[in-house]
Structures are given as C-alpha cells and as structure tokens.
Amino acid sequence: MSETTYTTLLTRTDGPVGIIQLNRPKQLNALNDTLMDELGAALRTFDADDAIGCIVLTGSDKAFAAGADIAAMAQHTFPDVYRTEYITRNWEALRHVRKPVIAAVAGYALGGGCEVAMMCDIIIAADSAKFGQPEVKIGVIPGAGGTQRLPRAVGKAKAMDLVLTGRMMDAAEAERAGLVSRVVPADKLMDEALATARAIAALPRLAVLAAKEALNRAFEAPLSEGLQFERRMFHAMFATADQKEGMAAFLEKRAPQFQGR
Ligand code: CO8
C-alpha cells in the first residue's frame, strides 16, 4: 500500500489497482479547480506506474460528486471562463488515461459528477446511486460532456429527458438505460469494483490498452475507420509476448504467465 498526499483526494494502491477517492465530504465532493488538478495528477501517476493495471475512482457513500462547485463558479463572467478555457484546462485529464478506469459510484453523481463518471470506462453503481444533469436548474448547461456522452450512453430520448428537466435517475433506471454496467448493494460496491479492477489488471496489459483504445474509436470515428483501426490493433497484438503465452497456455491447458509486453 502506498499513500500520496492531496488536499481533495485520498489515493492508495491495492495490489495492481490504483484507488482514487474524491474527498471533499462537506461539499458532497463538489469539483473545484484544485480537485480537478489533483485528480489529473493522481491519474497520471497511476497511469505511468507499471505496477498498476487498472484504476478505480470513487467518492463517499453519500456522493460520488454533486457536480462542479457552484460556490466557486457563481461569480465567474463569460470573459473569465472563455479566456481561461474553464473546464477544458483541467477536466480533460481523464480522457488521456490509457489504463482502464472504473467509476465506483454511490450516492449523487450530478452535473460534473455524472460527467466525470461518464469519462471513466466502466461505471459500477451502488443501489444508492443517483445520476443527473441538473445544470439547467441553475441557469447553465452541462459543460464537461453531458450533452455528448449521455446521449451516446442512453440514447436521445432519455438524455433529453434528463438534461432538459434536470431530474435524477436512480441506479436501476441508469442500468436499464445502459449508463452503468452493473448495480450492486451499496456495501458491496468497493469489493465489486476492486474485484473487477484486479481481474482486468491480471490480463495482458497491451491487449487491455489496445482494447480500450479501439473501443473509444467507436465514439470518435466512422465505422470504416474504426474497423480498420481495430484490425490493425488486432494484427499488432501478434507482436506481443503475451499473445504467444496466452494462446500457448490455452492449448497446453495451463495457467498463463503474462509479462505485460
Ligand atoms: N457545489 C458546491 N457545494 C455543493 C454542491 C455543489 N455542486 N452540492 C452540494 N454542495 C454543498 C451544499 O451547499 C451543502 O453545503 P453547506 O452544508 O455548507 O450548506 C453541502 O454540500 C450539503 O448539501 P445539501 O445540504 O444540499 O445536501 P442535501 O442532501 O440536502 O442535497 C443534493 C444533496 C441534492 C446533491 C444538493 O446538494 C444539490 O442539489 N446539489 C447541487 C447539484 C447540482 O446542481 N450540480 C450541478 C452543478 S453545475 C455543474 O456540475 C456544471 C458542470 C460543468 C462542467 C464543470 C465546470 C467547472
């Protein structure tokens, strides 16, 4: 176990899993500049650490994150936010993480909190989770992907319903809609997220990175380009030691010994 000190996060490792816990409990983990800077730094540290194969991002029992910090935002003006690239400056770090990131969500994931969860690769929700994009209620709109990633995840009808009304959806509705991959009892959330992360971390590292990269192409590229990218990455896997080992171990009916290369 190793600890790094941040003011708005707690980080630790559990074997090959890097765990980042958002930690502004009094503000329900509202996301401010410091937190987003620290989150970027923590993600980059785990991403660069060869001992880590998967990252889990979580909050508290009450809130994954209740959105961007409204107190910090309230007095901003258009010239301020436009000139300083507010949001893009330090909200894009998650997009650049190459290892899988699992969001383990309990309680509120609202506004920027829902958007951060959607930037992760897998969302595992506690049965207490509530998702929503309530920005219209305070006179803005989602600013970190809510109008783009939410319809890709749940379709236009549900996304419009959520973004235009600002209502919350519970974990069961989020699972039906395809936003979350599974729902578990709240007291099992971290066990489930860590078990999933450990399973991913035990797999051939290059295949995992390539699979994530190829899957993300599905949201960025036309089908023909995405298929071509997938095929090239599939071909590239034959240059890895873990492909030789994985297939040999299967044929020899033994457990594989992956090297991550
Ligand atoms: N920002 C700042 N403080 C917050 C936030 C927030 N988003 N959410 C909760 N808090 C604070 C409350 O002010 C309160 O503080 P205090 O105790 O000092 O009064 C404390 O957390 C506890 O909150 P409540 O008393 O309200 O707790 P409840 O259990 O009654 O309600 C709710 C919980 C329903 C989550 C409620 O707090 C709420 O509605 N919060 C705001 C949710 C919201 O509107 N989120 C969207 C914000 S806008 C946004 O995310 C835009 C993203 C765009 C990209 C990012 C740009 C930087």
Side-chain angles (χ1 to χ4, degrees):
M1 301 283 239
S2 76
E3 297 259 353
T4 311
T5 306
Y6 296 102
T7 60
T8 62
L9 308 175
L10 300 172
T11 62
R12 63 190 173 92
T13 57
D14 181 357
V17 181
I19 303 165
I20 302 174
Q21 183 176 6
L22 306 178
N23 189 37
R24 297 186 74 212
K26 289 198 185 96
Q27 296 85 6
L28 303 184
N29 293 332
L31 308 164
N32 63 10
D33 260 356
T34 305
L35 185 148
M36 293 312 293
D37 282 339
E38 291 189 346
L39 180 57
L43 287 165
R44 282 189 291 276
T45 300
F46 282 143
D47 209 25
D49 183 345
D50 276 346
I52 298 298
C54 191
I55 299 167
V56 172
L57 177 60
T58 194
S60 68
D61 291 348
K62 181 153 189 207
F64 178 74
D69 190 322
I70 298 171
M73 274 189 303
Q75 295 308 321
H76 280 310
T77 63
F78 171 75
D80 287 344
V81 293
Y82 183 63
R83 183 174 45 78
T84 59
E85 279 282 58
Y86 195 47
I87 302 170
T88 39
R89 186 181 67 71
N90 61 5
W91 281 62
E92 298 285 280
L94 260 161
R95 278 187 67 198
H96 303 296
V97 178
R98 301 193 61 210
K99 292 172 185 165
V101 183
I102 298 173
V105 176
Y108 299 109
L110 301 177
C114 187
E115 291 171 315
V116 164
M118 288 191 291
M119 290 177 201
C120 298
D121 303 305
I122 297 171
I123 303 178
I124 300 179
D127 49 15
S128 63
K130 289 192 188 322
F131 298 86
Q133 298 288 161
E135 287 89 341
V136 284
K137 292 182 168 179
I138 54 169
V140 288
I141 69 168
T147 65
Q148 304 301 305
R149 291 194 180 93
L150 190 61
R152 282 168 168 80
V154 306
K156 176 181 170 182
K158 185 76 79 179
M160 284 285 186
D161 175 0
L162 290 163
V163 171
L164 297 183
T165 67
R167 76 172 176 87
M168 295 185 213
M169 71 174 164
D170 64 16
E173 184 180 357
E175 186 181 32
R176 281 197 306 277
L179 180 65
V180 310
S181 59
R182 45 191 121 140
V183 178
V184 298
D187 62 348
K188 297 283 185 299
L189 178 65
M190 279 311 280
D191 290 348
E192 185 80 10
L194 288 174
T196 307
R198 277 193 290 269
I200 291 171
L203 295 170
R205 179 74 51 84
L206 297 178
V208 168
L209 295 183
K212 170 171 169 168
E213 200 176 354
L215 232 151
N216 278 330
R217 280 291 162 116
F219 299 98
E220 308 276 358
L223 181 62
S224 56
E225 206 179 291
L227 289 171
Q228 180 72 358
F229 182 81
E230 179 194 74
R231 197 171 309 126
R232 289 290 173 252
M233 293 305 279
F234 174 78
H235 292 156
M237 292 301 105
F238 288 83
T240 67
D242 285 346
Q243 173 268 325
K244 299 288 174 291
E245 171 63 8
M247 293 193 183
F250 176 82
L251 293 172
E252 292 159 19
K253 302 187 188 306
R254 60 174 174 81
Q257 298 288 320
F258 294 123
Q259 302 169 45
R261 60 185 184 82

